[in-house]
Amino acid sequence: MARRKVGVVGYGHLGQYLVEHLLSSETCELCFVWNRTTSALKGKVDDKYILDDLEMFSQCGADLIVEVAHPVITETYGEKFLHDADYMVGSPTGLAKKELELKLRNATVKHGLYIPAGALWGGEDIKKMADRDTLKAVKLTMSFHPSSFRLLGELDVKNKAVKEKKTVLYDGEVRPLCSLAPSNTNTMAAASLAAHTLGFDKVQGCLIADPELTDYHIIQTEVWGNSHIKDKVFYVCTVRKNPATKGHVTGSATYNSFLSSVYGANGKGPGVHLC
Ligand SMILES: NC(=O)c1ccc[n+]([C@@H]2O[C@H](COP(=O)([O-])OP(=O)(O)OC[C@H]3O[C@@H](n4cnc5c(N)ncnc54)[C@H](O)[C@@H]3O)[C@@H](O)[C@H]2O)c1
C-alpha cells in the first residue's frame, strides 16, 4: 500500500521530533518540511525535503499537512491547505478566533481538519457527548511551574510575581485566555473544539502557577453531563500527571501523543476530527 505523504510546517521541538520519526515510518512518508528560516533546516534535513516557499506547498502532493509552528500559519494557509489535503492543526489556540474557526469548518469540504488531542484525556468521549447534546460543562485546570508559562500582558506580570505560593493566574472562559497564553492552552482549545456545543465561550479554563511543580505538568479535565435520572448529574474527573523538564512548555508524553495523532489523522473524511 502507498505510504501517506506528510508535509511538516515548522521545525522546532515538535517538528524535529515528527520529521525524525516520519523518515523511518512504514505507513507515512515525509514529502516536505518548511520552516520560516530555511537555514535551520540546512544540514539537518536532506535538501530534497526542504520547501523554501510555503506558497508552493501544493507541488509536493501532500495527503496530510501538519502545522507545528505558530497559530498564524492556520490564519494564512489553513483554508488553502484544506483545499488540497487533510490538515492537522498543531496550534489549535488560533481557532479561538471565531471567524477563523468558522472559515476552516466551512473549508472542510473535501478534506478533514484534524485536531491533535495533545495532553487532552477523554476528548473523544467529550465529543460523543457533544454530538448527542448531553454535555453540560467542561473545565480544564492546568498547573505548571512558573517557568513553563509563555504568557502575554497582565498574565505574564502576574506569573513573574509568583515566588513560593501556588497562584491561580486565570479562571474563566477559554476564548480570551487563548490569545494571552497561546503556547499553554492548546489542550484547552482542543477541548473547546471537542465540546462543540459549548465551544470556546463556555468551556472553562484555569491556569495555576505552582513553584513546587518542578518535574510535572498536571492537567485536570472535568466533565459534567445530563443523566436520565432526575436530579443526578453525570461527572468525570481525570488527572494527567505528565513528566516535564522545568521550564519546558511541552511535557514528554505529549510528543508521543502528537506522533500518534499524525498517524491517526487519516480516513475520517470532511469535517473536524480529534486525532
Ligand atoms: N496541541 C498541543 O497539545 C501542543 C503541544 C505542544 C506544542 N504545541 C504547539 O505547537 C507549536 C510548535 O511547538 P514547539 O514546541 O515545536 O515550538 P518551538 O518553539 O520549538 O518551535 C516553533 C517553530 O515554529 C517557528 N515559528 C515560530 N513563530 C512562527 C511564526 N510566526 N511563523 C512561522 N513560524 C514560526 C519557529 O521558528 C520554530 O521553528 C506551537 O505553536 C505550540 O504552541 C501544541
Side-chain angles (χ1 to χ4, degrees):
M1 207 171 73
R3 288 187 297 164
R4 191 159 157 80
K5 292 171 92 177
V6 181
V8 176
V9 178
Y11 194 64
H13 291 96
L14 271 172
Q16 290 169 37
Y17 176 84
L18 293 181
V19 165
E20 186 195 327
H21 285 81
L22 286 170
L23 284 171
S24 58
S25 166
E26 287 176 5
T27 53
C28 292
E29 88 181 92
L30 185 69
C31 71
F32 75 78
V33 191
W34 174 87
N35 195 62
R36 69 175 164 177
T37 48
T38 310
S39 55
L41 295 164
K42 291 279 178 200
K44 294 191 181 141
V45 179
D46 193 316
D47 283 355
K48 70 181 180 190
Y49 297 119
I50 299 176
L51 180 64
D52 291 314
D53 181 358
L54 193 53
E55 291 287 346
M56 309 305 280
F57 75 89
S58 59
Q59 293 184 353
C60 303
D63 299 305
L64 171 69
I65 297 172
V66 177
E67 174 274 314
V68 274
H70 189 277
V72 77
I73 297 292
T74 300
E75 284 186 41
T76 315
Y77 293 100
E79 205 177 12
K80 293 181 194 166
F81 288 162
L82 278 166
H83 187 268
D84 281 28
D86 287 331
Y87 177 38
M88 182 175 126
V89 191
S91 314
T93 47
L95 297 174
K97 288 187 180 168
K98 247 185 207 164
E99 321 74 57
L100 183 62
E101 182 188 348
L102 190 65
K103 187 162 98 171
L104 287 213
R105 282 189 185 273
N106 289 338
T108 62
V109 180
K110 283 192 288 178
H111 300 102
L113 175 67
Y114 287 88
I115 313 296
L120 177 65
W121 208 248
E124 284 292 352
D125 300 287
I126 294 173
K127 182 170 180 295
K128 277 185 201 163
M129 289 177 72
D131 289 345
R132 302 279 74 79
D133 202 16
T134 60
L135 203 55
K136 279 173 85 81
V138 174
K139 180 168 185 173
L140 274 89
T141 304
M142 303 181 56
S143 306
F144 298 94
H145 187 269
S147 62
S148 290
F149 283 107
R150 305 286 179 272
L151 304 168
L152 300 165
E154 266 176 52
L155 278 191
D156 189 39
V157 175
K158 211 168 168 185
N159 182 49
K160 285 194 171 128
V162 176
K163 297 292 173 236
E164 287 163 17
K165 217 170 131 243
K166 184 167 152 176
T167 306
V168 174
L169 300 178
Y170 181 93
D171 196 357
E173 292 86 31
V174 168
R175 194 182 298 282
L177 179 58
C178 283
S179 58
L180 296 171
S183 304
N184 297 106
T185 51
N186 285 301
T187 305
M188 294 183 186
S192 303
L193 292 159
H196 56 86
T197 48
L198 303 173
F200 286 88
D201 287 323
K202 291 192 181 143
V203 170
Q204 301 293 299
C206 178
L207 282 185
I208 297 175
D210 184 349
E212 289 191 3
L213 216 50
T214 48
D215 301 326
Y216 292 94
H217 294 166
I218 297 181
I219 296 167
Q220 174 176 291
T221 305
E222 291 175 281
V223 179
W224 292 263
N226 297 323
S227 83
H228 64 287
I229 301 174
K230 193 170 173 284
D231 301 330
K232 299 276 190 242
V233 173
F234 171 90
Y235 175 72
V236 175
C237 177
T238 60
V239 178
R240 182 184 190 267
K241 206 173 162 194
N242 185 9
T245 312
K246 189 174 151 189
H248 283 201
V249 179
T250 307
S252 57
T254 303
Y255 285 87
N256 288 328
S257 165
F258 238 83
L259 184 62
S260 293
S261 293
V262 171
Y263 293 134
N266 188 8
K268 294 192 184 169
V272 180
H273 315 285
L274 282 183
C275 58

